[in-house]
Amino acid sequence: MSTTAEYATIQSPTVDLGNTGFPTVFTLRNGLRPTAWVVLGILVVITHAWLAAPAGARSPGSPTPVAHADEVSPAARTVQVLTGPDPAATLDALPADFVAVMGYLPVTADGYPTDPDGDCSSPVPMPDRFEPLCRTHDFGYDLLRYAERTGHPLGGWARLAIDAMLVARMHAECDGLFCAMAAESARIGLGVNTWRQYDGPPAPAEDVGDITATMLVRVTTAVTGRSAVA
């Protein structure tokens, strides 16, 4: 039996997405077909309604969370500058021992400090234009890790503010439907992951088993009001 028709879409070498915010042409091995993005968009809307916007899932227009008055550590100040109106001044506020603790010096790109080795870690392909935005978000998360490692972990406001900054910048970069859908999927993904980790510092590298287990614990805690950990 011929399998030509069955595998026709897989054998097609490229897909042209036009002016959607993604690279003009990409291989099917590296991305989703346009119809898959439509399905993804529908799932995003359904997921958004079902989750009812948990703590971390803020829309780009939501107010940026602010630090509590008693959080006056250098890391707290740096996060405030990064997510404020003058992010280019972030390096001036950087804690003196950040490089020694975290192992790198942030690099400025388009007025924002970045982790030069950061990227958009996502289960679905993201537009190339999001890459420098994700590197800034990675640097922001490293500020949270720095604060925890130096004994002054920040409140949930800090992670929420860093997430909100990324989502707002993603939407500002978009001029097409598929790009906007990718930004919205990132918003929900960030919101769920931040909620899963109780708005706290990002966990070390996790595999699928770790993520599944901690999600079950988080959902159980939310539903019962009691921790699922003995």
Side-chain angles (χ1 to χ4, degrees):
M1 180 177 66
S2 173
T3 58
T4 302
E6 182 179 356
Y7 292 100
T9 56
I10 296 178
Q11 293 172 345
S12 178
T14 62
V15 174
D16 188 348
L17 293 181
N19 186 27
T20 60
F22 288 90
T24 301
V25 175
F26 69 93
T27 65
L28 287 175
R29 291 190 303 274
N30 296 330
L32 299 177
R33 288 170 292 177
T35 52
W37 278 107
V38 172
V39 173
L40 175 62
I42 295 171
L43 292 175
V44 163
V45 173
I46 294 173
T47 303
H48 174 53
W50 179 66
L51 291 173
R58 297 176 181 268
S59 66
S62 298
T64 300
V66 297
H68 296 294
D70 59 350
E71 288 199 71
V72 293
S73 69
R77 174 58 182 161
T78 306
V79 172
Q80 289 177 308
V81 176
L82 173 64
T83 59
D86 187 20
T90 301
L91 295 187
D92 294 332
L94 195 69
D97 59 344
F98 178 88
V99 175
V101 173
M102 300 308 300
Y104 74 93
L105 178 66
V107 175
T108 300
D110 297 324
Y112 284 83
T114 67
D115 172 358
D117 295 324
D119 59 17
C120 291
S121 53
S122 170
V124 296
M126 290 288 164
D128 289 344
R129 67 182 70 181
F130 286 177
E131 282 297 322
L133 284 57
C134 291
R135 286 194 286 271
T136 294
H137 185 260
D138 285 352
F139 162 67
Y141 271 19
D142 279 341
L143 285 172
L144 305 182
R145 296 184 179 100
Y146 163 86
E148 182 181 41
R149 292 178 188 178
T150 55
H152 301 283
L154 301 180
W157 67 270
R159 183 163 177 171
L160 294 174
I162 293 166
D163 288 352
M165 173 191 66
L166 173 62
V167 173
R169 292 184 69 200
M170 282 180 167
H171 277 281
E173 283 290 321
C174 287
D175 56 7
L177 172 63
F178 296 113
C179 178
M181 289 165 60
E184 186 64 6
S185 69
R187 182 185 76 82
I188 292 176
L190 282 170
V192 171
N193 199 48
T194 292
W195 175 80
R196 177 177 68 87
Q197 297 181 344
Y198 298 88
D199 301 346
E206 299 174 293
D207 58 26
V208 174
D210 295 329
I211 294 172
T212 301
T214 54
M215 178 62 80
L216 288 173
V217 170
R218 183 67 176 95
V219 170
T220 300
T221 301
V223 171
T224 66
R226 301 190 305 272
S227 174
V229 179

